[in-house]
Every structure is written in structure tokens, then in C-alpha cells.
Amino acid sequence: MGKILIVDDTLFMRTLIKNILFTGGHSIAGEAGDGEEAIAKYQELKPDLVTMDIVMPKMNGIEALKGIKAIDPAAKIIMCTAVGQEQMVKLAIKSGAKGYIVKPFQAPKVLEEVKNVLAS
């Protein structure tokens, strides 16, 4: 089980992911509401995994992903995407994301993806 940093600009989505992860036995390292905060929290908390929303204010998830990868090339990041953002997901994977989950979140899929990425 891993310590996870949850990054999403909406509190509702962060809470939703947090509840799913808790049921899977994971611990929450922290939360961030935008990409800039995500990079700062990553450096501070050194989580095992990050769930990263793609569309956020200030700095989007792709830019934050690149920022975190620049600090830690081994960072494990799962992108959170809405249906229809396939191009963004492809870009994120090319930029170093280890996987993705689609909103609306389905607990079994989220936990399976987290487990697979942590094991990779």
C-alpha cells in the first residue's frame, strides 16, 4: 500500500478519490488543488504515487507531470481524465505518466490501476 498525493482542482473529486483509496488500504500523503501546488507538495511529501487531474487552473496536469518528472524521473503518476480527453492522455503517457483513470471514477478500476502502478 502506498502514500498517495491527490491532485484535483475540485474538493469533491479529491474527496471521492480519497474515499476510494482509503477503502483500498492506501494512505493519503496530501492534496493539491493545482499543478504548482502539486509540484511543491511532491517535493515536500515524497509520495509513492500521485493521482493528477489534467484540467486545472494556474498549471495543468501535463505541465505539473513534467515538473515532477524533472525533479524525480522515477515518480509514479496516474492521470485523471474526463471522457473525450484521449489526446491529453496520450500526451501525458508520452510525458511519463504511468497510467490513467477516467471520471466518473469506478472504485474497482481506480484501485486496480493504483495497485498496478505501485507494483511497476
Side-chain angles (χ1 to χ4, degrees):
M1 303 300 134
K3 289 186 317 190
I4 301 172
L5 172 63
I6 301 171
V7 184
D8 198 295
D9 59 329
T10 58
L11 177 61
F12 172 76
M13 282 303 189
R14 291 197 308 267
T15 304
L16 203 62
I17 295 178
K18 198 177 352 182
N19 291 340
I20 291 170
L21 294 170
F22 273 139
T23 62
H26 299 283
S27 61
I28 307 308
E31 298 178 35
D34 63 58
E36 289 176 1
E37 191 183 356
I39 294 170
K41 290 268 175 119
Y42 186 87
Q43 287 178 287
E44 176 194 335
L45 302 168
K46 312 253 186 299
D48 300 312
L49 181 97
V50 179
T51 63
M52 177 84 69
D53 188 21
I54 292 180
V55 180
M56 295 182 291
K58 285 193 204 167
M59 179 188 282
N60 71 33
I62 307 277
E63 292 168 338
L65 162 74
K66 289 176 181 171
I68 289 171
K69 283 298 214 177
I71 298 160
D72 178 6
K76 295 182 177 185
I77 302 171
I78 295 175
M79 304 308 286
C80 302
T81 173
V83 174
Q85 292 180 322
E86 286 79 10
Q87 292 306 322
M88 294 291 267
V89 169
K90 284 180 185 155
L91 179 60
I93 300 291
K94 272 194 198 128
S95 300
K98 299 282 188 198
Y100 68 95
I101 47 181
V102 179
K103 298 173 184 177
F105 300 122
Q106 295 175 315
K109 287 203 166 106
V110 171
L111 293 172
E112 185 180 344
E113 189 72 10
V114 166
K115 186 176 126 194
N116 291 343
V117 171
L118 282 171
S120 69

